Amino acid sequence: MPVKIAAVDVNSAAERAGIKKGETLVSINGKEIFDVLDYRFYETDRTLQILLRNVSGEEREVRIVKREYQSIGLSFDTYLMDRQHSCRNRCIFCFIDQLPPGLRESLYFKDDDSRLSFLFGNYVTLTNMSEREVDRIIAMHISPINISVHTTNPDLRCKMMGNRFAGKSLEILYRLAQAGIRLNCQFVLCPGINDGTELERSLNDLLPLYPAVQSVALVPLGVTRFREGLYPLKPYTREGAQAVIETAERYGASAEKRYGKRICYAADEFYLKAGMPIPRAEFYGEFDQLENGVGLLANLKQEFEDARLLLEDEALPGKQRSVTMATGVAAQPFLNQLLDGLRNQCHNLTCNVVAIRNEFFGETITVAGLVTGGDIIRQLKGRPLGDVLLLPRVMLRYEGDVFLDDVTVETVEKELGIPVQVVQDDGYELLNAIIGGDRRAEGDSCSGR
């Protein structure tokens, strides 16, 4: 439905054309405006005929001539300009269904919005997508779209997603691929359900769709201690993780031989679970699914080693520095090994990597992104932590201030009596945080090799 204008930017093309706050934006150049994608796409033309409606229902049209791609300067009550689309599925592995009661309300919202896939990289299942949305994606050639596939077996997809239309919605994936829309596909794998021969079937269906299907990420399910009444699922064992990696690497090698790109990758979490070394950064090509935990550690290692090489061989003497890094159980061995070279290079540096057991969700959850502030406080209180406590940015919500259990960074600092520094998934930033400041060209926290 048409959307109401919340504000008009000062000195904008819209203000000069006389558009007012409170009016409704009906159409641009005859195209109805339903949401942010319509608005952003159709406002790019140089000449615009804009149809407006006032509170009395009276309509008028204004003409704007501007530079191509220049914004006309309208704001709306929400970024999407309408309500966020919620998920209609009841996936057997849904992590939100495994959350305990009492958390902040926003954590319980399940989104399944194709617009968020394009704008922010969210994954969509296609079960919530209307014909209009499909046609619009094709007409506007919106790419890439991130899709939670899970399986290409229609019957199994219905079972896994608790939606009788989940199998039929796979037709949308093939339509988008045929139209040349670039797709990043995700499989949340559940032991004994959509891995093994079912996974091979799915990969045999998807990989021939290259170059439309540009990547396939295999991600393990998360199993918390709050699964009472839910579908019986267990986390991956070491052997099960190894089997997934074997499948991913075999199909990836086949795709690389055929297309020059691996396409198929197992998430870092599978390598950690399997006790297998993380592949080198070159293995992951263009890192199409970095934010999905695919190649994240390889990229971090490459950046960190590049940053470490910039430290002077004969660094200036400096004061002793002691740092503690907190992370999840899974990543602790990897990070410890990553720091060995720096420890040898900087003899006046002490850096301890501490694994935080996930008592909040259950110890089957081992990733850093689900570590809570309360667990950090309980497990580190009273321990010698040095000069600063480093925490990965992934532990916190988007704003970077609150953990999943609503504990703030400030509370952690107060309870532990130590400054806390939040670090992005960036090797240069990690090294700088460890040694204290930007030391790409100098090394005053090192005493030489």
Side-chain angles (χ1 to χ4, degrees):
M1 58 183 297
V3 292
K4 184 175 291 187
I5 298 167
V8 180
D9 294 346
V10 176
N11 296 326
S12 64
E15 185 185 56
R16 291 192 294 271
I19 298 177
K20 304 295 184 185
K21 172 184 175 181
E23 289 188 293
T24 294
L25 176 61
V26 179
S27 67
I28 298 177
N29 289 343
K31 304 294 186 180
E32 284 189 274
I33 305 300
F34 291 91
D35 59 25
V36 65
L37 291 189
D38 291 329
Y39 173 62
R40 296 299 180 195
F41 186 78
Y42 293 117
E43 76 161 344
T44 58
D45 292 341
R46 293 188 71 254
T47 302
L48 307 178
Q49 294 294 134
I50 300 177
L51 182 62
L52 303 162
R53 183 182 301 138
N54 64 21
V55 292
S56 301
E58 299 169 335
E59 294 185 348
R60 68 187 183 97
E61 195 170 63
V62 300
R63 183 171 183 265
I64 290 178
V65 179
K66 61 175 184 62
R67 294 192 304 273
E68 192 173 16
Y69 298 108
Q70 178 188 7
S71 173
I72 61 177
L74 299 180
S75 299
F76 305 89
D77 286 332
T78 65
Y79 182 79
L80 292 174
M81 298 166 57
D82 73 345
R83 291 183 179 180
Q84 188 172 340
H85 299 168
S86 61
C87 184
R88 299 175 180 175
N89 306 311
R90 293 287 296 174
C91 295
I92 60 174
F93 52 82
C94 180
F95 193 82
I96 294 177
D97 288 342
Q98 303 177 71
L99 295 178
L103 302 180
R104 59 181 179 273
E105 186 177 349
S106 61
L107 293 176
Y108 299 102
F109 181 79
K110 306 177 186 180
D111 78 78
D112 193 11
D113 199 316
S114 61
R115 299 164 302 180
L116 295 178
S117 178
F118 175 65
L119 295 169
F120 301 115
N122 295 28
Y123 282 79
V124 293
T125 66
L126 306 177
T127 60
N128 205 24
M129 195 176 290
S130 67
E131 279 297 312
R132 178 186 178 278
E133 288 178 288
V134 177
D135 291 341
R136 180 172 67 172
I137 289 171
I138 294 173
M140 296 181 179
H141 206 78
I142 296 173
S143 286
I145 299 294
N146 298 330
I147 300 176
S148 289
V149 180
H150 308 315
T151 176
T152 60
N153 179 336
D155 292 335
L156 179 58
R157 196 168 196 256
C158 291
K159 174 185 175 182
M160 290 188 67
M161 298 174 65
N163 186 327
R164 62 191 179 96
F165 301 108
K168 185 172 177 56
S169 66
L170 284 170
E171 296 174 6
I172 298 174
L173 183 152
Y174 297 111
R175 283 177 58 191
L176 295 176
Q178 187 175 20
I181 305 301
R182 291 181 292 116
L183 308 174
N184 293 315
C185 298
Q186 170 187 255
F187 285 67
V188 176
L189 293 184
C190 304
I193 296 178
N194 61 333
D195 56 3
T197 56
E198 285 292 347
L199 175 58
E200 296 200 9
R201 167 187 170 154
S202 296
L203 295 177
N204 285 328
D205 288 341
L206 285 185
L207 297 193
L209 299 180
Y210 178 84
V213 172
Q214 62 180 14
S215 68
V216 176
L218 310 181
V219 181
L221 80 166
V223 179
T224 79
R225 62 188 178 91
F226 302 99
R227 287 200 60 86
E228 185 176 352
L230 299 177
Y231 191 95
L233 292 172
K234 294 183 178 180
Y236 270 93
T237 62
R238 183 186 183 95
E239 294 74 20
Q242 290 172 347
V244 170
I245 292 170
E246 187 280 327
T247 300
E249 293 192 351
R250 175 160 44 89
Y251 274 84
S254 176
E256 187 171 39
K257 184 177 180 180
R258 183 174 180 181
Y259 305 120
K261 182 176 181 179
R262 295 194 67 87
I263 304 175
C264 180
Y265 303 94
D268 295 355
E269 192 177 348
F270 271 121
Y271 285 93
L272 297 176
K273 176 71 72 173
M276 296 173 63
I278 300 290
R280 294 180 61 84
E282 308 86 67
F283 179 87
Y284 294 96
E286 298 178 0
F287 292 98
D288 291 312
Q289 300 215 32
L290 195 64
E291 294 187 2
N292 207 10
V294 176
L296 186 68
L297 295 180
N299 188 57
L300 179 69
K301 181 178 181 179
Q302 183 66 61
E303 291 176 341
F304 188 84
E305 289 302 314
D306 289 346
R308 190 170 67 82
L309 291 174
L310 294 176
L311 291 174
E312 291 183 349
D313 288 344
E314 296 299 330
L316 296 174
K319 64 180 181 180
Q320 293 289 323
R321 180 169 171 82
S322 178
V323 174
T324 297
M325 294 175 58
T327 186
V329 171
Q332 193 260 359
F334 170 85
L335 290 173
N336 236 345
Q337 187 177 27
L338 179 67
L339 293 177
D340 283 343
L342 181 64
R343 291 179 178 124
N344 291 332
Q345 184 175 355
C346 300
H347 300 303
N348 54 344
L349 171 69
T350 301
C351 185
N352 297 314
V353 183
V354 179
I356 304 297
R357 302 182 314 278
N358 203 315
E359 298 171 354
F360 186 87
F361 288 112
E363 296 191 20
T364 54
I365 300 296
T366 60
V367 295
L370 296 174
V371 169
T372 60
D375 281 345
I376 292 172
I377 292 169
R378 283 187 293 273
Q379 294 175 40
L380 296 186
K381 197 159 191 176
R383 297 178 58 169
L385 301 175
D387 302 311
V388 65
L389 173 64
L390 305 182
L391 300 177
R393 173 66 178 78
V394 71
M395 288 183 181
L396 303 167
R397 69 176 180 179
Y398 180 79
E399 291 82 1
D401 58 344
V402 177
F403 296 85
L404 284 168
D405 57 354
D406 283 340
V407 172
T408 65
V409 173
E410 289 76 10
T411 299
V412 173
E413 288 183 319
K414 181 179 179 181
E415 290 292 326
L416 297 181
I418 187 173
V420 170
Q421 184 173 345
V422 178
V423 184
Q424 298 283 355
D425 288 320
D426 178 280
Y428 289 95
E429 183 174 334
L430 176 59
L431 184 135
N432 291 334
I434 292 171
I435 64 178
D438 191 346
R439 296 293 183 268
R440 298 190 184 196
E442 57 177 320
D444 68 359
S445 285
C446 300
S447 56
R449 292 185 180 182

